[in-house]
Amino acid sequence: LSTGDYGCCPYPEAVCCDDGEHCCPHGYTCDVSAGTCDRTDIQSELAQLSVGNVECDDGSSCPTGTTCCQLSTGDYGCCPYPKAVCCDDGEHCCPNGYTCDVSAGTCDRADIQSELIQLTVRNVECDDGSSC
């Protein structure tokens, strides 16, 4: 974070943006001014780094600013977007306002198409000993 503290990025092996407040999935580049994560063929929204927790229905938790989605196993995983759409496959999610197209592997909205987001497992340890 811009404060020097560690925040939680919802993506595994993420790219931390230079502003210290956002992150993008692995393989993307940050365009902070446009608010997007860019890759040659896909553009997606930046994810906000978070501190704190959102409680899931089973009592587990996800970082603040994320959404709890039930996994196909019945456990809960964390989607990196607030108020996200949990896909029916129990493995992916899409940003609010998008629909899941699991067969195509995309999140669709009238003007944008992006990759489905893999739900993440909690408790990744940060360099300062905190965890996400």
Side-chain angles (χ1 to χ4, degrees), residues 48-115:
Q48 183 74 37
L49 295 176
S50 61
V51 177
N53 293 314
V54 172
E55 190 169 332
C56 302
D57 290 343
D58 68 349
S60 63
S61 63
C62 289
T64 298
T66 66
T67 301
C68 296
C69 290
Q70 192 166 19
L71 301 168
S72 55
T73 62
D75 294 327
Y76 280 79
C78 304
C79 179
Y81 298 112
K83 300 178 185 172
V85 175
C86 300
C87 300
D88 291 338
D89 67 353
E91 295 181 18
H92 298 94
C93 64
C94 291
N96 188 358
Y98 286 71
T99 57
C100 300
D101 185 341
V102 176
S103 62
T106 59
C107 297
D108 299 332
R109 195 173 76 180
D111 58 339
I112 295 177
Q113 185 180 61
S114 70
E115 288 184 326

Side-chain angles (χ1 to χ4, degrees), residues 2-67:
S2 57
T3 62
D5 294 327
Y6 283 89
C8 300
C9 180
Y11 303 115
E13 300 177 27
V15 175
C16 296
C17 300
D18 291 338
D19 68 354
E21 299 294 326
H22 296 93
C23 62
C24 290
H26 179 76
Y28 286 70
T29 57
C30 300
D31 185 342
V32 176
S33 62
T36 59
C37 298
D38 300 332
R39 198 173 78 183
T40 306
D41 57 340
I42 293 175
Q43 186 179 64
S44 116
E45 297 169 350
L46 289 174
Q48 183 74 37
L49 295 176
S50 61
V51 177
N53 293 314
V54 172
E55 190 169 332
C56 302
D57 290 343
D58 68 349
S60 63
S61 63
C62 289
T64 298
T66 66
T67 301

